Amino acid sequence: MIPEPTSYSVPRRRRVVLHVGLSIMAVAALVAMVNYLAARHYTRLAWSTKASQPFSPLTRTSLASITNAVRVTVFFDKDEPLYDSVWGLLKEYKFANPLILVTCVDYERDPATALVIKNHYQLNVPGQRNLVIFDGGTRTKIVHEKQLSELDIKSFTSGQTKEIRRTHFRGELEFTSALLAVTSTRTLRAYFLHGHGEHQHDSDDKLMGYARFAGVLDENSIPYGRLSLASTNEVPADCQLLIVAGPKTAFLAEELDKLDRYLNQGGRMFVLLNYESLFRPTGLEQLLKEWGVALGRDLVVDREHTMTGQDMIVSEFSDHALMKPMVDERLYLVLPRSVSRIPGSTAGRDVLQVEPLARTSQEGRIITDVRPGMVSYPRANDFVGAVPLMVAVEKGGIRGVSADRGATRMVVVDESVFLGNESLPKLANRDFASHAVNWLLARHELLVGLTPQ
């Protein structure tokens, strides 16, 4: 017969209960401490290759600068394919800065709240749905669904696929741009000069249209318009950036005087000429000469860095603030010409600075025998070496100039087609356009890249 086990004595049972109780209290205290620390020092980790990529420097800078609440309303049908990406990304914005207040209104499941949102933001146009509303209190920016992705239409039209597929998600680009628009304290405005055959900012022409360049201004939250200097018009007082893009005909003397006055009052100008002015000077050549910039009557080639013989891949950049974000990047230029500083041009004008931004490799060549049709004839005495292709001009400390303008700044490139609709997406052309605009406007904190993912 098996004897029954001896039961624990009362003192022993009490000791066991006490030890268990103390263990439970210790674990509870440890959990409380971990939660306390986690609430103040947390790290979010991506556990798969499909997880979101880290924010760009521009987004991090923008989020860190926000000190007032920004209300973000995701006005979306939750069954839409883009909803999860939109909601997930905006949650990351909120985690980065708790002042980003994100809410979702599903207009299909909550029509009453959707009506309130429509009335408050005046969404009275039929079909205004699937959008994200950024409200900074005094400014509002709406990002529409069609802005949030890039579509592969070529594969559909060519018959390779039977559906139009999304290839890139533009969420970070559009959301950060919207945050800049509703939180910026500066009122900025750019103007495209017209009246001389310039590239048109509203044109979708493949080669010469500048609609995509105008999109760069949109992404940087810079409103823009058209400007003519004909008649008695001066450059408006609210013009923080004047874009002169590929003029084909000559300026009147009165127009050049207006541009010179604008620059001497601390104006900012993005000057883009092209091969057409080689045979039909515009008058800007002499104006720029007075500002220490020489435009070559030539064609620059770099046989070791070309795809067609007339284009150029540029990767040699200076350490100028505008170009520092371009490290390890490349630009695609079409029929470029030389742009350089005139030696001794700053004598007596020690505040005027003309600095190169990009140049060819040591195999670059300046061809001066160029004939109509851009037919070039190399000569034995052509200069061969590193050729400057663009410059930045700055003249600061002008007394009595409004704070909105400040120091005079110019970026001069004797090539305008590289920012046209077809060439802008190539290599780092879009980034350069964005960097140039932000440097001209003295928004140095935004001299970082931001592209679709």
Side-chain angles (χ1 to χ4, degrees), residues 53-275:
Q53 296 298 314
F55 283 141
S56 70
L58 173 57
T59 298
R60 292 197 297 271
T61 300
S62 301
L63 288 170
S65 67
I66 294 175
T67 57
N68 295 319
V70 177
R71 299 184 181 278
V72 184
T73 303
V74 182
F75 193 72
F76 249 82
D77 178 356
K78 292 184 178 180
D79 293 330
E80 287 292 325
L82 279 178
Y83 170 77
D84 287 339
S85 296
V86 169
W87 182 251
L89 180 58
L90 286 172
K91 284 198 298 183
E92 297 296 329
Y93 277 71
K94 178 178 173 59
F95 279 120
N97 189 331
L99 290 173
I100 309 296
L101 309 177
V102 185
T103 59
C104 176
V105 175
D106 187 328
Y107 54 82
E108 293 289 352
R109 296 172 173 81
D110 191 358
T113 305
L115 182 60
V116 173
I117 295 296
K118 285 183 177 181
N119 291 334
H120 182 74
Y121 292 106
Q122 300 180 352
L123 305 177
N124 301 320
V125 179
Q128 274 199 301
R129 55 186 184 180
N130 294 332
L131 42 86
V132 183
I133 306 166
F134 290 78
D135 187 344
T138 58
R139 299 181 182 180
T140 301
K141 180 73 177 289
I142 297 177
V143 178
H144 296 266
E145 179 187 25
K146 64 182 180 181
Q147 299 171 246
L148 291 171
S149 62
E150 295 182 0
L151 304 177
D152 180 12
I153 299 178
K154 290 184 178 179
S155 297
F156 174 77
T157 56
S158 64
Q160 296 178 13
T161 63
K162 295 183 179 180
E163 59 182 6
I164 298 176
R165 296 178 179 176
R166 292 185 172 91
T167 59
H168 292 79
F169 180 54
R170 295 170 53 90
E172 184 182 355
L173 190 154
E174 295 293 344
F175 296 162
T176 299
S177 173
L179 284 175
L180 289 171
V182 302
T183 60
S184 175
T185 58
R186 293 179 62 189
T187 301
L188 300 173
R189 186 166 182 81
Y191 286 89
F192 286 87
L193 194 65
H194 76 101
H196 314 88
E198 292 91 347
H199 297 275
Q200 297 299 303
H201 71 272
D202 55 356
S203 171
D204 292 321
D205 182 80
K206 187 176 181 181
L207 184 65
M208 305 301 285
Y210 256 42
R212 283 185 167 175
F213 178 84
V216 172
L217 298 182
D218 288 328
E219 292 162 9
N220 283 278
S221 302
I222 303 168
Y224 51 85
R226 284 160 55 96
L227 173 65
S228 170
L229 294 179
S231 186
T232 59
N233 294 336
E234 292 279 346
V235 178
D238 68 344
C239 177
Q240 280 79 44
L241 174 60
L242 183 60
I243 301 165
V244 185
K248 297 179 181 178
T249 59
F251 286 69
L252 298 174
E254 294 81 1
E255 294 177 312
L256 295 171
D257 288 341
K258 293 173 185 178
L259 291 177
D260 194 47
R261 281 196 292 273
Y262 168 69
L263 290 172
N264 276 296
Q265 293 170 359
R268 317 293 174 86
M269 199 155 72
F270 198 174
V271 183
L272 299 144
L273 298 173
N274 60 41
Y275 55 87

Side-chain angles (χ1 to χ4, degrees), residues 329-347:
E329 299 286 358
R330 297 179 299 164
L331 290 177
Y332 176 79
L333 303 183
V334 182
L335 295 172
R337 293 160 57 190
S338 64
V339 183
S340 59
R341 179 177 66 85
I342 298 175
S345 60
T346 59

